[in-house]
Amino acid sequence: MTDAGRHPRITLLTQSEVKEITGFVGNFHVKVLKRARYVKEKECTACGDCATVCPVVVPDEFNVGLSSRRAIYSPFPQAVPSSYAVDINHCLGHNPIICGKCIEKCSKRCIDFNMNDEELSFDVGTIIVATGMEPFDPKALDEYGYTRYENVLTSMEFERLINAGGPTHGHVIRLTDRKIPRSVAFIQCVGSRSPQRGHPYCSNICCMNTVKSAIMLKEHYPEIEVKVFYIDIRAFGKGFEDLFRRSKGMGVRYIRGLPGSVRQDAAGQDMVLTVENTATNELETYRAEMVILAVGLEPPAEMKHIQEMLALQKTSDGFYLEAHPKLQPVDSASRGIFFAGCAEGPKDIKDSVTQASAAAARAMRLMNPGSLTVEAITAEVDEELCTACGLCAKVCPYKAITVDVKARVPAKVTEASCSGCGTCSAECPVGAIRMNHFTDEQIEAQIDAILAEEPQKQVLVFACNWCSYAGADFAGVSRLSYSSANRLIRTMCSGRIHEKFIWRAFEKGAPVVLVSGCHIGDCHYINANHFTERRIKRVWKKMEKLGLRRERLGLEWISAAEGIRFQKVMDDMENLRRTVTPDEIEATQQILLNERTKATRK
Amino acid sequence: MQKPESHDTARIGVYICHCGSNIAGAVDCEAVAAYARTLPGVIHARDQGYTCSEPGQAQIKQDIREFGLNRIVVASCSPRLHEPTFRKCVSEAGLNPYLMEMANIREQCSWVHSLDREGATTKARDLVRSAVARARLLDVRTELEVPVRRSTLVIGGGVAGIQAALDLADAGYPVVLVEKQPSIGGIMAQLDKTFPTMDCSI
Ligand SMILES: Cc1cc2nc3c(=O)[nH]c(=O)nc-3n(C[C@H](O)[C@H](O)[C@H](O)COP(=O)(O)OP(=O)(O)OC[C@H]3O[C@@H](n4cnc5c(N)ncnc54)[C@H](O)[C@@H]3O)c2cc1C
Ligand code: SF4
Ligand code: SF4
Ligand code: SF4
């Protein structure tokens, strides 16, 4: 930690938030809001004199509320940077009539209430997302009585109690009588492995954390009775089984079954646990003087801003989704953005560190050559066809198009800024934009080829590379089976799907067509899928006007992690296809043919 | 504008990968290869054990030279996995990498229709037909080279963020480490001893 604070090449910005990230791999533009600390970080020696005079007392979050701190404080003794900070939400203010006591007290004069929040801008080539996790809050699980009973604690609170630097100097005492408990019960899987009671996944660390805590208790207090209530103990890592066995050797008892209820006895001190022991199939009752809930890990409450800025995807667990679960475990789907630690899923310190080094190596591999090539999937304007209407410039999510509507100067695409979503090409009313590598002709050739044989049996699907196509791949990797009627056409973005592709498919006899992409808000191309949605709604209206069943054109958002959803959508589309009769297909073709002749006559 | 190649002269080679039994287990690869030979523009088609393997790739390169192929279709796994592999392969044989197209007959076919050999084989044929139609119209593309800034933003200063920042900084790359709390350290800073070694955390 201190190495990171001192390193000449690391700029440490604490109390800071990333506000905005634009640009692309190799050239990200970053804006960070650094909140004022009101103490000069470089000058403060952390002597702590200021805190002795501060009259404000608030719960100390570092000790999870088991002790208090002042409004001017150091989060913990080894903090980096090792400077005090003013908690401005609780500070009474520096007006001498009201307070401002700390300013006087600091002999180095490093408290400065005139500091302002700063906005910093800089450019980087790569980004590593290491935003971690949060321990599960067990308040909602009423049967365990957390917060109702003072002697029921979380594993996080226990960590602070047994910590020599903690509020009790490492003495594990219970809160009701401040005595060392003679018996302690641990309850496993709190908030884990149950979709109804927290999260469906295993939190990975809590079994071993309990084994560790039990050993520490036995080392501190050899006479103490320790019981662990569990479903199964997951001691899968290197050295884990040894530790587990050691705890048993020390007399820790493991009882298979999770308590159905935790109550306080009549004296209001000890806890009574009722549990169905699944090893003996008996309903048993145990007493313990203290109960520790082995809480799981969950994604941080606030992930949305970073997720949207970087167009990252999450798995159904709520953690970030990697580019490939086996082969690219630290890459995100966006080039130049990597994951490290629990941001990607619950894991212990060793795995977090391993992943962090891997992410650093992947980032270096990308940056080391000093330059990189971007896929040659870019838009190009045919100046002769362009009427300078300006529509393309309006829809481009990357502002990569310039066009002077007044002076009638045709549109121009800046190749380096174009990300290749194809939205402009799908929106241009005169077909003046050629989307390279995903041209109209190429996509139409695929539509025609697919519908060339037995069109009435085909479910034609347009799928975007990053989400729905990736979701289909995920369904494949998970071996989920579904109807084989569908035929996918891949484009980079659903925004590429021009109205005319859909009409063409129906003209060629497609019974149903599906357009699929990333969920709104998750689009890999900022917001290009908004235009997809708008366009599909337009087509639905026209279908209704023409007397065509609009449900024959589907629009579905499927993320890269939603293999199961992809499977379901494919089966639903096939069921829908079966409702489309040859007569209906023929009638559709006739209606569209009439429309076409009308249009050409005009 | 980059000049599109004349599409009439497309000479397409099609490679149907068995992927061991991953694809061949559910798709009649030989039949798909035979079908591919009947498609317009296809000069040569064959099925192979593992197209991505060294011999598989060597075969493609040899065929490009021997048959004067100028478009390649690989029907195998997802392009999200192996597009870079096959782009590199064809460019080593002197072809522009954008003249390679893939048909996904594993993730989106054999793996999900494993109980429906007929359906899977028909779908594979259709996907190859679609890929060949697209391949006929592929154009030569040249990638733009852009400079890369040699610096990294690390968001989050827990043990993972700290480790990543130190590795990068020690290797000579400037790092900006952004942490929302007043101190770095994350959850680990709150722990005393840690498993499996039972030593201090900070
Ligand atoms: C009770 C308990 C006991 C444990 N015991 C052990 C043990 O004994 N051994 C072991 O190996 N592991 C243990 N673990 C697991 C260990 O804590 C984790 O593996 C480790 O902390 C993960 O590190 P991280 O950097 O990924 O995440 P975190 O420690 O969660 O750090 C994430 C950091 O990112 C910051 N952050 C989050 N969002 C943003 C944002 N938007 N902008 C800026 N900064 C942000 C946070 O403030 C935090 O500092 C335990 C966990 C718990 C809960
Ligand atoms: S690690 Fe153990 S306690 Fe934690 S969720 Fe998994 S099985 Fe339950
Ligand atoms: S939308 Fe088409 S016509 Fe309008 S400015 Fe853009 S390229 Fe030109
Ligand atoms: S393809 Fe997308 S990113 Fe490129 S110019 Fe068109 S709208 Fe903008």
Side-chain angles (χ1 to χ4, degrees), chain A residues 394-430:
Chain A
K394 262 193 221 140
V395 299
C396 173
Y398 296 88
K399 317 232 172 319
I401 308 181
T402 45
V403 44
D404 195 333
V405 179
K406 279 202 196 107
R408 296 216 134 318
V409 179
K412 198 171 161 30
V413 176
T414 311
E415 200 183 343
S417 315
C418 169
S419 294
C421 64
T423 303
C424 54
S425 180
E427 291 284 328
C428 173
V430 296

Side-chain angles (χ1 to χ4, degrees), chain B:
Chain B
M1 269 203 178
Q2 288 181 344
K3 269 268 158 285
E5 295 225 322
S6 166
H7 300 135
D8 306 334
T9 58
R11 295 176 62 83
I12 307 174
V14 182
Y15 296 83
I16 316 291
C17 179
H18 289 216
C19 193
S21 64
N22 276 295
I23 295 171
V27 169
D28 184 344
C29 295
E30 276 168 45
V32 177
Y35 171 72
R37 285 183 205 112
T38 67
L39 294 169
V42 175
I43 300 295
H44 180 70
R46 65 164 87 225
D47 54 308
Q48 294 172 301
Y50 290 96
T51 308
C52 63
S53 68
E54 198 50 47
Q57 295 194 41
Q59 184 73 61
I60 297 181
K61 290 183 211 168
Q62 190 194 319
D63 290 350
I64 289 176
R65 267 168 279 191
E66 192 176 327
F67 299 102
L69 305 176
N70 58 13
R71 302 282 189 289
I72 296 297
V73 170
V74 180
S76 60
C77 50
S78 174
R80 292 173 50 85
L81 198 65
H82 267 325
E83 190 175 68
T85 313
F86 294 117
R87 275 189 176 172
K88 189 154 163 278
C89 165
V90 303
S91 67
E92 280 163 7
L95 222 58
N96 181 284
Y98 285 78
L99 300 179
M100 192 286 301
E101 176 63 18
M102 290 181 78
N104 186 340
I105 60 166
R106 190 180 76 176
E107 281 85 345
Q108 299 179 9
C109 194
S110 65
W111 277 355
V112 287
H113 312 312
S114 55
L115 301 175
D116 175 10
R117 194 174 171 83
E118 200 189 317
T121 303
T122 310
K123 180 168 172 180
R125 277 164 47 114
D126 289 1
L127 292 178
V128 166
R129 185 167 69 241
S130 165
V132 166
R134 174 172 155 80
R136 281 173 56 90
L137 302 178
L138 287 175
D139 300 315
V140 167
R141 299 286 304 148
T142 314
E143 295 191 337
L144 194 71
E145 193 159 314
V146 294
V148 176
R149 279 182 193 278
R150 294 161 65 102
S151 59
T152 303
L153 164 69
V154 178
I155 311 175
V159 61
I162 294 172
Q163 180 70 38
L166 284 172
D167 279 4
L168 282 156
D170 286 346
Y173 295 87
V175 176
V176 183
L177 177 56
V178 174
E179 166 59 53
K180 66 178 175 191
Q181 300 293 340
S183 170
I184 54 172
I187 297 281
M188 201 185 78
Q190 285 169 282
L191 308 178
D192 179 23
K193 296 206 168 68
T194 53
F195 71 79
T197 46
M198 304 298 281
D199 53 358
C200 288
S201 70
I202 318 186

Side-chain angles (χ1 to χ4, degrees), chain A residues 484-532:
Chain A
S484 66
N486 57 84
R487 308 285 181 260
L488 267 63
I489 295 179
R490 180 175 73 120
T491 56
M492 296 313 282
C493 175
S494 64
R496 172 69 186 98
I497 307 309
H498 197 292
E499 239 188 270
K500 69 179 178 187
F501 300 158
I502 299 166
W503 296 123
R504 189 180 185 102
F506 285 127
E507 276 172 28
K508 300 273 169 181
V512 290
V513 174
L514 176 72
V515 176
S516 61
C518 309
H519 287 276
I520 296 288
D522 288 359
C523 181
H524 196 79
Y525 300 95
I526 305 177
N527 63 350
N529 60 357
H530 280 281
F531 299 105
T532 314

Side-chain angles (χ1 to χ4, degrees), chain A residues 9 27 64 149 169 174 180 189 191 199 268 283 298 310 314 321 386 396 417 435 437 445 472 512 545 587:
Chain A
R9 275 185 294 274
N27 296 277
V64 271
Y149 307 130
H169 308 290
R174 57 182 197 170
I180 295 165
C189 297
H199 301 285
L283 199 64
E298 61 184 8
L310 297 175
K314 296 199 279 186
L321 175 72
C386 172
C396 173
S417 315
M435 188 61 229
H437 205 55
V512 290
K545 240 168 74 193

Side-chain angles (χ1 to χ4, degrees), chain A residues 16 130-133 135 155-156 159 205 209 212 297 302 306 340-343 347-350 352, chain B residues 155-161 178-181 185-188 191 193-195:
Chain A
S16 300
T131 46
M133 43 68 185
S155 44
M156 197 70 238
E159 280 293 333
I205 58 106
N209 188 47
K212 168 191 83 179
L297 308 181
E302 205 351 81
I306 292 195
C342 292
K347 54 178 68 67
D348 63 7
I349 294 167
K350 177 186 165 183
S352 298
Chain B
I155 311 175
V159 61
V178 174
E179 166 59 53
K180 66 178 175 191
Q181 300 293 340
I187 297 281
M188 201 185 78
L191 308 178
K193 296 206 168 68
T194 53
F195 71 79

